[in-house]
Each structure stands twice: as structure tokens, then as C-alpha cells.
Amino acid sequence: MKITKKDINKIIKIFTELAELNKSMERQYRYMAYLRAIKVLKSINFKNQWESKKKIDGIGDKIKKKIKEIIKTGTLKNLVQMRKFGKIVSELATVMG
């Protein structure tokens, strides 16, 4: 599967948002996983490693699946769900009593 610089930038943007949402929900492991993935995505060799289908340090199977979904659809179903959940949690946090 080919990947462009535009794809990489979109993935970084989505993963940055996912990292922040996971951080706000105190999911440190997922937060750190997204930060590692972002660092790898920004590396010079990522595009070549991705296209050669080699194992990429810092990119696990779940992250790889999300990258493929973003390339294929332009979005990530998980992010849409996380946004809704984050909005609900924020609203509940304002409830008094």
C-alpha cells in the first residue's frame, strides 16, 4: 500500500488528537503508544519502511491497522467514537451534585 506525505501528515494529525483524548481519559499506555507512532511517522525512513512492508519499530499491529484505515478512508472510526465519548465525559464533569 503506497503512502504519501499528505497521508502521513493526516495520520500524524489524527494520532495527535487520539493521544490527547487518551491522555485526558488517563489512558497512559495508549497515549504513549500514539506519541511513539507519531515520532516514527515523522522519521525520514518511515515511507520507505512502510512501502517495503518491513517491520517498523514503534508501530505495532493495532497502530498499523489504524494507519491503513486512515489511508483507505481518510478518517478513523475510533476517533469519531472517542470524540463523542470525550464530549459526554466533559458534559458529565460539569454536572453538580
Side-chain angles (χ1 to χ4, degrees):
M1 177 177 283
K2 293 281 185 184
I3 190 166
T4 66
K5 182 70 174 164
K6 185 177 177 182
D7 292 330
I8 293 171
N9 289 334
K10 177 173 242 155
I11 295 163
I12 290 170
K13 183 178 177 185
I14 289 171
F15 282 5
T16 300
E17 186 174 350
L18 281 169
E20 291 305 315
L21 285 167
N22 279 289
K23 182 179 179 183
S24 70
M25 291 183 223
E26 298 182 13
R27 296 174 166 175
Q28 287 303 108
Y29 179 76
R30 289 183 182 178
Y31 168 70
M32 295 303 294
Y34 286 115
L35 291 184
R36 273 192 307 278
I38 291 166
K39 184 178 178 182
V40 172
L41 285 160
K42 289 180 178 180
S43 74
I44 295 170
N45 296 324
F46 176 77
K47 187 176 186 300
N48 294 335
Q49 290 175 321
W50 178 265
E51 291 177 358
S52 69
K53 298 184 185 314
K54 293 181 181 175
K55 181 171 175 6
I56 304 169
D57 291 335
I59 303 287
D61 290 338
K62 290 180 183 178
I63 295 285
K64 187 181 277 189
K65 186 176 176 183
K66 289 175 181 162
I67 291 172
K68 288 178 180 179
E69 181 181 342
I70 294 166
I71 293 169
K72 186 176 179 181
T73 67
T75 189
L76 187 63
K77 184 179 174 182
N78 182 269
L79 177 60
V80 174
Q81 294 169 341
M82 293 278 294
R83 284 176 180 154
K84 288 178 185 177
F85 183 75
K87 185 177 179 183
I88 291 167
V89 170
S90 295
E91 289 173 6
L92 287 174
T94 63
V95 174
M96 296 291 209

